[in-house]
Amino acid sequence: MKKPNAKERILETAGELFFQRGYSGVGINEIIEKAGTAKASFYQHFPSKESLCEAWLQEMHDRSTDTHARLLGSDLSPQEMAAAYFTHLADFLKAGDFRGCPYSNTGAVSDENCCGILKLIRLHKESTRKFFREIASLSIPDAARAEAIGDRLFVLYSGATAEAQNLKTLWPVEIARDAAVELLS
Amino acid sequence: MKKPNAKERILETAGELFFQRGYSGVGINEIIEKAGTAKASFYQHFPSKESLCEAWLQEMHDRSTDTHARLLGSDLSPQEMAAAYFTHLADFLKAGDFRGCPYSNTGAVSDENCCGILKLIRLHKESTRKFFREIASLSIPDAARAEAIGDRLFVLYSGATAEAQNLKTLWPVEIARDAAVELLS
DNA sequence: CACTTTACAGACAGGTCTGTCTGTTTATCT
DNA sequence: AGATAAACAGACAGACCTGTCTGTAAAGTG
């Protein structure tokens, strides 16, 4: 517990740095220095910086999948689920200096060459969209309408994250949460 | 008209490149090569790459201010104004290979050192927020409610732009436009 | 014509980046 | 103890970056 192996230390350190300063703003040298490993060790575990980024995105995606499942499996009402998820976002942003969505931020500096990264971003976004659609389907009988409302929740969530980052404030999240609760009532 | 001066050529070329590949993905050397100027000429007009970025953001902001004023001064209904603005966004994204919001994308790679850039981003975002609040105030008598609805439109607009970029598709814009029209009715 | 401004051409310095390489040290397992 | 795997340390190459510098050519103005 005190001393995980090199791969885990690299992944954890890189995650923090990528999140704080963006994928393109952090170099391998800084990562290995802060993780306390040698460069050779890094390239033994990850063939490239890009693959490290993919591992990071995948790890976060797995965690968020768990969160979605836990919320959907809870006994909260749909409105409460959505509200809890937006509150979770607010806590996340507050704790992380309003750095916004790691997926969107990474996508903003990835060209079409990084297709592995772009694929993971889309995977996560579609998964989040599906999560909101499922919430919506719990309180809206009409399936087509539920899908449309779920998509609206998704767009609200994304906009709240983006603008909280740009403006370094929490009101977009609160606005989006209120709108989401209204949409589900 | 065929041959603007060096400064304008640099600004125009840099604008296209920054938009297509992001601020951090484009170097001075490429800009001046594509603009057909010398490096010395560049540094005669712009003290740094960062100041070039600020000029670019400022230029776009001025244009969007015009668009806002024109829309607000038109004889369209509030719903039509919002719908037109989202349609404008759809056209913009389609024409630009779904590169998303230049301000948000630039902000994602700027740290707190680039305070001039960050200030312009916030300026533009607050200005867009105000634009949506004014639209909302045209169809919602209660001032406080109008402000809240305007903020929702703003968050929807931002989320639509972000997710259209991530997913390379137009449905977030259509979803947001429908939601906006509903909010204003 | 002389002068000044503007732009061109491109070398250069000093730094950062990814990724490769050589070699040493530590830990684990039989 | 001996063997094997993992991690260490760090130099190095090659590319790219911003910004500075020297010098030349063209264009407008008195």
Side-chain angles (χ1 to χ4, degrees):
Chain A
M1 190 70 183
K2 280 324 230 342
K3 197 129 196 288
N5 62 29
K7 184 168 184 177
E8 281 170 27
R9 262 181 301 154
I10 290 169
L11 194 50
E12 190 187 330
T13 307
E16 289 167 13
L17 293 173
F18 284 162
F19 175 64
Q20 285 164 10
R21 307 216 309 278
Y23 172 59
S24 66
V26 182
I28 298 287
N29 294 315
E30 184 179 357
I31 292 170
I32 60 171
E33 190 216 341
K34 293 227 164 81
T37 73
K39 191 173 277 196
S41 309
F42 172 85
Y43 280 101
Q44 215 153 20
H45 292 293
F46 301 97
S48 67
K49 186 190 177 190
E50 195 175 322
S51 79
L52 170 65
C53 181
E54 291 172 14
W56 169 56
L57 295 174
Q58 183 68 56
E59 192 199 32
M60 284 192 300
H61 175 67
D62 292 344
R63 269 206 289 271
S64 95
T65 299
D66 284 351
T67 302
H68 294 166
R70 191 153 11 90
L71 261 181
L72 286 170
S74 74
D75 55 357
L76 296 174
S77 72
Q79 286 104 320
E80 287 170 331
M81 282 184 196
Y85 201 59
F86 278 94
T87 301
H88 176 73
L89 171 64
D91 294 339
F92 172 79
L93 291 170
K94 259 187 291 187
D97 201 28
F98 296 90
R99 284 296 306 156
C101 172
Y103 300 90
S104 297
N105 288 341
T106 304
V109 294
S110 301
D111 51 27
E112 60 278 1
N113 298 13
C114 320
C115 57
I117 289 175
L118 295 180
K119 200 178 284 185
L120 282 167
I121 292 171
R122 277 169 220 169
L123 190 85
H124 172 76
K125 292 295 183 176
E126 285 292 357
S127 151
T128 305
R129 178 195 190 189
K130 200 173 152 204
F131 165 69
F132 280 116
R133 282 185 162 198
E134 286 177 29
I135 289 186
S137 74
L138 295 177
S139 70
I140 296 164
D142 180 60
R145 178 72 183 166
E147 287 186 352
I149 297 298
D151 287 349
R152 287 188 193 181
L153 300 182
F154 173 66
V155 171
L156 281 166
Y157 185 82
S158 172
T161 312
E163 297 311 327
Q165 174 176 22
N166 285 325
L167 299 169
K168 303 282 181 217
T169 176
L170 229 46
W171 67 254
V173 181
E174 290 154 9
I175 288 285
R177 186 191 53 211
D178 293 349
V181 171
E182 259 188 54
L183 280 172
L184 289 170
S185 66
Chain B
M1 190 70 183
K2 278 324 227 346
K3 197 128 195 289
N5 62 30
K7 183 167 184 176
E8 282 169 25
R9 262 180 302 155
I10 289 169
L11 195 49
E12 191 188 329
T13 307
E16 290 167 11
L17 293 173
F18 284 163
F19 176 63
Q20 286 164 10
R21 307 218 310 277
Y23 172 59
S24 66
V26 182
I28 298 286
N29 293 316
E30 184 180 358
I31 292 170
I32 60 171
E33 190 215 342
K34 292 228 164 79
T37 73
K39 190 174 277 197
S41 309
F42 172 85
Y43 281 100
Q44 214 152 20
H45 292 293
F46 302 96
S48 65
K49 186 190 176 189
E50 195 175 323
S51 80
L52 170 65
C53 181
E54 290 172 13
W56 169 57
L57 294 174
Q58 183 67 57
E59 192 198 31
M60 284 192 300
H61 175 67
D62 292 343
R63 269 206 290 270
S64 94
T65 299
D66 284 352
T67 302
H68 294 167
R70 192 155 9 90
L71 260 181
L72 285 170
S74 73
D75 55 357
L76 296 174
S77 72
Q79 287 104 320
E80 286 170 330
M81 283 183 195
Y85 201 58
F86 279 93
T87 301
H88 176 73
L89 171 62
D91 293 340
F92 171 78
L93 291 170
K94 260 187 291 186
D97 201 28
F98 296 90
R99 283 298 304 156
C101 172
Y103 300 90
S104 297
N105 287 342
T106 304
V109 294
S110 301
D111 50 28
E112 61 277 1
N113 298 14
C114 319
C115 56
I117 289 176
L118 294 180
K119 200 178 284 184
L120 282 167
I121 292 171
R122 276 168 221 171
L123 190 87
H124 172 77
K125 291 293 183 177
E126 285 291 359
S127 152
T128 306
R129 178 195 190 189
K130 200 173 152 204
F131 165 70
F132 280 117
R133 281 184 162 199
E134 285 177 29
I135 289 186
S137 74
L138 295 177
S139 70
I140 296 163
D142 179 60
R145 178 73 183 166
E147 287 186 354
I149 297 297
D151 286 349
R152 289 188 192 181
L153 300 182
F154 172 66
V155 172
L156 282 167
Y157 185 81
S158 172
T161 312
E163 297 312 325
Q165 175 177 20
N166 286 323
L167 299 168
K168 304 282 182 215
T169 177
L170 229 46
W171 68 254
V173 180
E174 290 154 7
I175 288 284
R177 187 192 52 212
D178 294 349
V181 171
E182 259 188 54
L183 280 172
L184 289 170
S185 65

